[in-house]
Amino acid sequence: MTDSTGAHILIVEDDPSTRSSVAANLETHGYRVAQAIDVAGALRSWEAGRPDLILLDLGLPDGDGSTVIRRIRRDATTPILVLSARGLEPDKVAALEAGADDYVTKPFGLPELRARVAALLRRAGGPSADPTGTLRLGSVAIDIARREVTVDGTRVDLTPREYELLKTMVAQPGRLLTRGRLLRAVWGTAYSDEAHYLHVYVSRLRRKLDATDPTGAASGLIVAEPGVGYRIGEDEPRP
């Protein structure tokens, strides 16, 4: 059974074992795969083939993978999923702030990797609003024109900041958004270091969603990545 419709993925990884196992698994699930082992090769492959998604190691023989991120972000919004043994929070935040869309720490499971790939490709397919201008994810619906949020048709009373925070996350399902990125998007650049604001508002959002949906399914869409930020995902357990 395949997960894709032939999406083209570029794997940039200098470890032969990791590169070959990931490539073989993705090809088995219907993806078209190109491979590179260093920064120079990655940029050549990207220029020549313009892949739909890039899997990128940070520790490459001729430089840091963040060079690839910054170069591609000058021209394109191609989804970039970092695969790295660097598991420290500052490394994750630095890669995401440079423009990566998600980060998986080695060692990782191939089913998890494919799920992340599929989520990023879905998001890259275009805006998630329906023809009426409503963002929908699971039981949550955000009417952009009315600035109204409902869960299974029941209205949720949110403050303007809570609304903007939820809208910002739901509009980018599957993407890991750093605390700094969310703070800048909702509060402005002056608040990019005020992480406690985010914690308080996410907690309020979850409580209000839980009050409307006691099953926890709606609030469970907001998934924390400790020390890094938050992502929106369907049917994922809340930490």
Side-chain angles (χ1 to χ4, degrees):
M1 185 175 73
T2 62
D3 294 340
S4 77
T5 55
H8 178 199
I9 296 178
L10 170 62
I11 302 172
V12 186
E13 168 63 68
D14 64 321
D15 178 65
S17 176
T18 301
R19 190 174 66 252
S20 62
S21 64
V22 170
N25 187 269
L26 290 175
E27 287 173 340
T28 297
H29 287 81
Y31 295 98
R32 294 180 294 117
V33 175
Q35 302 178 39
I37 63 171
D38 54 23
V39 170
L43 294 177
R44 284 195 301 270
S45 294
W46 178 72
E47 289 284 3
R50 293 295 169 126
D52 299 304
L53 182 142
I54 298 169
L55 300 179
L56 175 67
D57 184 24
L58 293 180
L60 298 171
D62 59 344
D64 195 275
S66 60
T67 302
V68 176
I69 300 174
R70 288 192 293 270
R71 171 62 187 86
I72 290 173
R73 284 294 171 262
R74 281 163 41 190
D75 296 332
T77 58
T78 306
I80 300 173
L81 173 55
V82 170
L83 312 176
S84 181
R86 302 177 189 174
L88 297 178
E89 292 172 6
D91 294 321
K92 293 182 180 181
V93 171
L96 292 163
E97 290 287 342
D101 296 275
D102 203 352
Y103 195 112
V104 176
T105 303
K106 298 176 182 177
F108 50 81
L110 291 172
E112 176 195 3
L113 178 64
R114 292 199 311 274
R116 298 286 185 92
V117 166
L120 288 175
L121 288 172
R122 283 195 301 271
R123 185 176 62 79
S128 52
D130 66 16
T132 69
T134 300
L135 290 168
R136 300 183 188 277
L137 190 65
S139 60
V140 177
I142 302 177
D143 187 322
I144 303 300
R146 297 181 179 179
R147 295 179 63 86
E148 182 176 278
V149 175
T150 58
V151 175
D152 284 331
T154 301
R155 188 173 183 277
V156 183
D157 186 20
L158 299 179
T159 68
R161 295 285 192 199
E162 291 166 351
Y163 169 83
E164 288 296 335
L165 178 58
L166 183 63
K167 185 185 75 171
T168 299
M169 291 191 289
V170 170
Q172 304 178 74
R175 183 171 189 174
L176 176 51
L177 301 170
T178 64
R179 292 175 297 191
R181 183 174 294 179
L182 286 168
L183 285 162
R184 289 191 294 273
V186 178
W187 282 270
T189 56
Y191 291 84
S192 59
D193 294 324
E194 304 291 343
H196 64 283
Y197 273 71
L198 200 54
H199 176 74
V200 169
Y201 274 80
V202 168
S203 296
R204 288 180 184 172
L205 262 178
R206 283 175 162 170
R207 286 198 300 271
K208 289 185 177 183
L209 292 170
D210 278 338
T212 309
D213 178 12
T215 68
S219 66
L221 293 173
I222 304 173
V223 181
E225 294 283 347
V228 180
Y230 297 88
R231 75 170 78 246
I232 288 287
E234 282 191 281
D235 302 322
E236 295 188 53
R238 183 174 66 184

